Amino acid sequence: MDYKDTLFLPTTDFAMRGALPQNEPARFRAWYDERKIYEKMKARRKGASVSFNIHDGPPYANGHLHIGHALNKILKDIITKTHYFFGEDIRYVPGWDCHGLPIEQQVEIKLGERKKSLSKVQIRELCRQHAKEFIDVQRNEFKDMGILGDWDDPYLTLKFEFEAEIYKALCQIAKKGILIERSKPVFWSWAAKSALAEAEVEYKDKEDYSIFVAFDLSDEANAKIGAKGAKAVIWTTTPWTLPANGAISLNPNEIYALTSENLILAKPLVESLVSLGITEGKIVKEFKATELEGLNAINPLNDRASKLILGEHVLMDGGTGLVHTAPGHGEDDYFVGLKYGIEVIMPVDEGGCFDQTLKTKKLFRADVVDELVGMHIFKANEKILELLGPALIKSGKFVHSYPHCWRTHKPVIYRATKQWFIAMDEPMPSGKTLRQVALEQIGKVKFYPQSGINRLTSMIENRPDWCISRQRDWGVPIAFFRDKSTKEPIFDEKILNNIYEIFKAKGADAWWQMEISELLPQDSGYRPENLEKVMDILDVWFDSGSTWKAVLQSGAYDAGKFPADMYLEGSDQHRGWFQSSLLLSCAINECAPYKSILTHGFTVDEKGQKMSKSVGNVVYPQEVAKSHGVEILRLWVAMSDYSTDLKISDNILKQVSEQYRKIRNTIRFLLASTSDLNEIETSNFTRLDRWILTRAANAFSSAEAAFRNYDFSKGFNALLNFLSADLSGIYLDICKDRLYCDESDEPRRRSAQSAIALITRALLPLIAPTLTYTIDEVMQFAPHIIKEGKQDAFDLIYKPIEFDDFLEFDEILIKSREKFFELIDALKKDKIIKSTLELVLQTSSNEILSNDILGVADWFMVSDVDTLQSEEALAEFKINDEIFRLVKSSKHKCPRCWKFNAKEPDELCPRCAKVMHAR
């Protein structure tokens, strides 16, 4: 007789294989279209006592998504859903940065020479179209990842109302008295033809000249130190700045030396300069730096006077102790030059080429100046070295870390221009400076990881004033009028409010489209012909740094409260978005715009190398979705330590896929095992059920705590260890016999099913934030005892297992089982046995023999457990002082349950005989 039909084999329509790449797209589309899941999530938690919102850091609307975008958005989605499945009211409004240089550059490339024939407004419209195109591309790609949020009404910084809010934030900064305009050297990208903020600068290696140049002292300066023909020696790595030299700075607290070669050097540096061949080191005379203050040296390139001045910025860690000072080309130079009234000369145009200033200021001799006008400064270095002639004492090249433009990746320069700044150290109406308020607020923010507080604090402590002006077309204008005669900006509130209302209705293009007379309110008191427009635009970091205002405070978006519960971006945003958002909110609101900051690392290949198309190690999220499925990408995010760089490759994704397979198949077995359970029985749990419920409660509690602290890798480690070791590896393996072979209403079978149901009910919402697609699919096929009347995954809410009759097994039970199965592997390998059911376990342990866990035999998955009898054993082991022997059973195999408990061959064991008789 075939007894298979008499077994209660588990049954479920939930597929063993997810076929994720084929099945995910249809379910995701249904989430957004027919089922309107994000709206359902908001409605489901309406009135919840706790709410949570992430304010989205806007990706840039330029190009397709990369794996970093996927990491960022998936992490935001997991965190938002974690709060949702823990019962909280959630909000997530995605957004995009739509202005700025990269978009403008792409449009310029497409236009080529045509750009010269187009107006600013026409160029801006092309930029707007480019941004909108990629907003749609990226929105669809994010939706293809199953990210839930308000995709129907995302925030876009190019919307008219949004541009108006950005402008309003600028006006509020102006009213605080910390918006200032001044001519000052700033980071300048000659490649982008625009000023840069500190956040837009990255440091990379660059080869530069290292030169030592001798400036002859004037007769008066020679006389002052009792010398004749003395030369002040400077060291520089930027020969191209020498024409604009206005001074030489000395340290006021150091002694300077005149050497036998008639060279003036700082005494502490003479020895190191001997090793470089600058001097033989014989000191003829020593004197204080103050003796030369206010006197002159002579620039060897143009014979212009170079004033000898004193500056605390002059260090003794290299060079000569005499610092070439060009106030237009350096911040230290600028401030020390300001003190001494040194002229700020700027002979470099916006494209990084020498301009006509070389002629008007006579910065080169007349016979060579024409050759240099129009030459790029970096190409001019060799010519300048040639022109220095004998004044060039030593020349060489070296590689050092040098600032580069974040966008164009070209080296930047310091260039003095008139720019707008937000002052860090000017008192606001409250009496505090912006720096003070920002540092106070950082202390109130929760950081994940905690080390983020040190990074952001250091950056705020040391950052200069924020240069917010750019000389480009595509952005929000610094829409102020200036008095033509005085050049003073006008911050009249009536005018500012009128421009704000115009921008709301017509967008920021109105600043270029409309005449001054049209932009002024009636009865403004100003004559249009006496005014001129400021034509700069705002740094795009100002746009994104003020998004909290337009999204969280304007009432235009259903985005949750201000301050946001969390800002979440890559760790590079300590210098970018986290910082710009903090400064603008602290200036306007005197509080941080976020309660917590979470940062993640960057994606690298499995060897830890940066991804590069040329190397061929780039992983594209779209390709991962097609080959493995989005769920695998999500599980990779959750199982990775996102606080550092995250490794990803096809091999790593295959490993994650294997973990997903284990989770899916475990869930499948849980569903199948409860398919005929109509009611949960909690009053008669066996000791084995109590044990697994205890293990589950502990594992779920650990995972919940980790998830609430956003430590997803720790939480999943706890869950996977439980699922594979305790649940699948022990409990479900043991329970198969009673689930399949016991009578359907046998108490111990119903007890096991009830334990499984409780575990499943708690497990599903616990992993739903990460494996949302899978749990939604599970709910489609789950038996009613698991669903409890719920329709889909989004009806679930996590509740700990309601169980308090905890039981942990004695150590000897755990250790003896582990040792037992080590020996079983060897016996099976040697083909001594095929199944553990062939065995009887004999033991000296009264603790084991007396411990009723529904038959100790089940714990070891043998047919019986007995006291020590036979000396002839297949294997033997000890735990502490207790002996365990494995011997073959003398009984016969039951054809129904396969246990060796039958008295005769082909006869049913007593348990199966009873079940069959009842039928």
Side-chain angles (χ1 to χ4, degrees), residues 100-116 118 120 123-124 126-127 130 190-193 350 408 471-474:
L101 183 62
I103 290 172
E104 191 172 342
Q105 283 181 324
Q106 289 299 312
V107 170
E108 285 177 348
I109 291 169
K110 290 179 186 176
L111 287 174
E113 288 298 311
R114 280 185 56 221
K115 184 195 174 188
K116 296 176 182 176
L118 298 179
K120 259 188 194 289
I123 292 170
R124 285 172 61 84
L126 291 172
C127 291
H130 181 94
W190 51 266
K193 297 183 178 180
E350 62 181 11
T408 65
Q471 291 68 49
R472 302 294 302 184
D473 294 335
W474 181 229

Side-chain angles (χ1 to χ4, degrees), residues 347 349 352-356 358 369-377:
D349 69 15
C353 297
F354 282 129
D355 63 18
Q356 290 292 329
L358 294 187
V369 69
D370 286 337
E371 183 182 347
L372 286 148
V373 172
M375 185 181 289
H376 194 280
I377 52 173

Side-chain angles (χ1 to χ4, degrees), residues 533-779:
K533 295 177 183 178
V534 173
M535 299 306 287
D536 294 340
I537 63 167
L538 282 167
D539 170 14
V540 74
W541 289 108
F542 191 102
D543 284 28
S544 57
S546 62
T547 52
W548 50 263
K549 177 176 175 55
V551 178
L552 302 178
Q553 287 190 327
S554 71
Y557 298 90
D558 185 13
K561 58 188 181 300
F562 175 88
D565 288 294
M566 178 176 284
Y567 274 34
L568 187 166
E569 299 301 326
S571 55
D572 59 331
Q573 295 306 323
H574 286 108
R575 68 171 179 162
W577 190 55
F578 298 148
Q579 192 174 153
S580 63
S581 300
L582 176 70
L583 292 178
L584 292 181
S585 183
C586 285
I588 296 171
N589 305 307
E590 299 212 5
C591 73
Y594 36 68
K595 295 178 183 177
S596 66
I597 282 178
L598 187 146
T599 53
H600 59 76
F602 299 99
T603 51
V604 294
D605 70 12
E606 61 186 335
K607 296 177 182 176
Q609 300 298 311
K610 184 178 179 181
M611 292 188 184
S612 164
K613 288 182 182 178
S614 60
V615 176
N617 62 350
V618 177
V619 176
Y620 296 98
Q622 300 86 352
E623 294 303 317
V624 175
K626 290 177 184 175
S627 59
H628 296 279
V630 173
E631 287 290 79
I632 305 307
L633 200 55
R634 294 177 68 87
L635 189 57
W636 165 74
V637 172
M639 292 179 65
S640 301
D641 179 5
Y642 59 77
S643 65
T644 62
D645 287 346
L646 290 81
K647 293 181 179 180
I648 186 169
S649 67
D650 195 56
N651 285 333
I652 290 171
L653 290 168
K654 284 177 181 175
Q655 294 169 25
V656 176
S657 296
E658 183 58 25
Q659 296 284 17
Y660 173 79
R661 187 190 64 79
K662 290 177 182 177
I663 294 170
R664 185 180 181 94
N665 286 345
T666 300
I667 292 174
R668 184 173 185 272
F669 188 84
L670 297 177
L671 300 182
S673 299
T674 53
S675 59
D676 66 335
L677 181 65
N678 295 316
E679 185 179 354
I680 290 180
E681 171 57 58
T682 60
S683 59
N684 280 319
F685 282 131
T686 67
R687 298 196 75 208
L688 181 64
D689 300 326
R690 288 170 57 206
W691 172 78
I692 196 59
L693 286 168
T694 299
R695 302 294 287 174
N698 290 339
F700 292 178
S701 176
S702 296
E704 178 191 356
F707 291 164
R708 288 188 184 276
N709 203 42
Y710 313 123
D711 193 346
F712 298 105
S713 60
K714 181 179 179 181
F716 265 96
N717 278 335
L719 284 178
L720 288 169
N721 285 338
F722 166 73
L723 292 177
S724 62
D726 294 334
L727 187 63
S728 297
I730 299 178
Y731 182 76
L732 296 180
D733 234 15
I734 292 172
C735 285
K736 285 176 183 175
D737 175 70
R738 66 195 63 177
L739 290 172
Y740 300 176
C741 302
D742 282 4
E743 187 56 82
S744 64
D745 58 356
E746 181 72 26
R748 73 171 191 167
R749 182 174 184 274
R750 290 301 188 207
S751 171
Q753 285 182 300
S754 297
I756 290 170
L758 291 178
I759 291 169
T760 308
R761 285 180 181 178
L763 175 65
L764 296 183
L766 198 54
I767 62 176
T770 299
L771 301 178
T772 318
Y773 166 89
T774 302
I775 303 309
D776 198 40
E777 185 189 359
V778 164
M779 290 298 286

Side-chain angles (χ1 to χ4, degrees), residues 338-354:
L338 207 61
K339 179 180 174 184
Y340 284 91
I342 307 298
E343 182 183 5
V344 178
I345 298 174
M346 179 41 57
V348 181
D349 69 15
E350 62 181 11
C353 297
F354 282 129

Side-chain angles (χ1 to χ4, degrees), residues 263-394:
L263 304 179
I264 295 173
L265 309 165
K267 183 182 177 185
L269 294 170
V270 170
E271 189 175 334
S272 64
L273 292 168
V274 169
S275 64
L276 293 174
I278 304 299
T279 176
E280 292 182 358
K282 185 179 178 182
I283 296 176
V284 175
K285 185 170 186 175
E286 297 179 8
F287 56 91
K288 292 180 180 179
T290 52
E291 292 187 44
L292 287 176
E293 184 180 13
L295 301 176
N296 292 320
I298 309 299
N299 189 330
L301 282 177
N302 51 32
D303 299 325
R304 289 169 57 94
S306 181
K307 185 169 285 190
L308 297 159
I309 61 178
L310 306 179
E312 299 284 351
H313 67 289
V314 180
L315 304 177
M316 296 296 120
D317 58 356
T320 65
L322 295 90
V323 174
H324 151 55
T325 302
H329 289 306
E331 196 156 8
D332 286 335
D333 300 33
Y334 172 78
F335 284 113
V336 73
L338 207 61
K339 179 180 174 184
Y340 284 91
I342 307 298
E343 182 183 5
V344 178
I345 298 174
M346 179 41 57
V348 181
D349 69 15
E350 62 181 11
C353 297
F354 282 129
D355 63 18
Q356 290 292 329
T357 308
L358 294 187
K359 283 188 170 183
T360 59
K361 292 290 183 180
K362 298 181 179 179
L363 301 185
F364 284 99
R365 296 186 181 96
D367 58 331
V368 298
V369 69
D370 286 337
E371 183 182 347
L372 286 148
V373 172
M375 185 181 289
H376 194 280
I377 52 173
F378 292 157
K379 291 181 179 177
N381 281 329
E382 287 79 6
K383 183 65 178 176
I384 289 171
L385 265 59
E386 178 190 328
L387 293 173
L388 284 170
L392 181 61
I393 296 176
K394 183 179 175 66

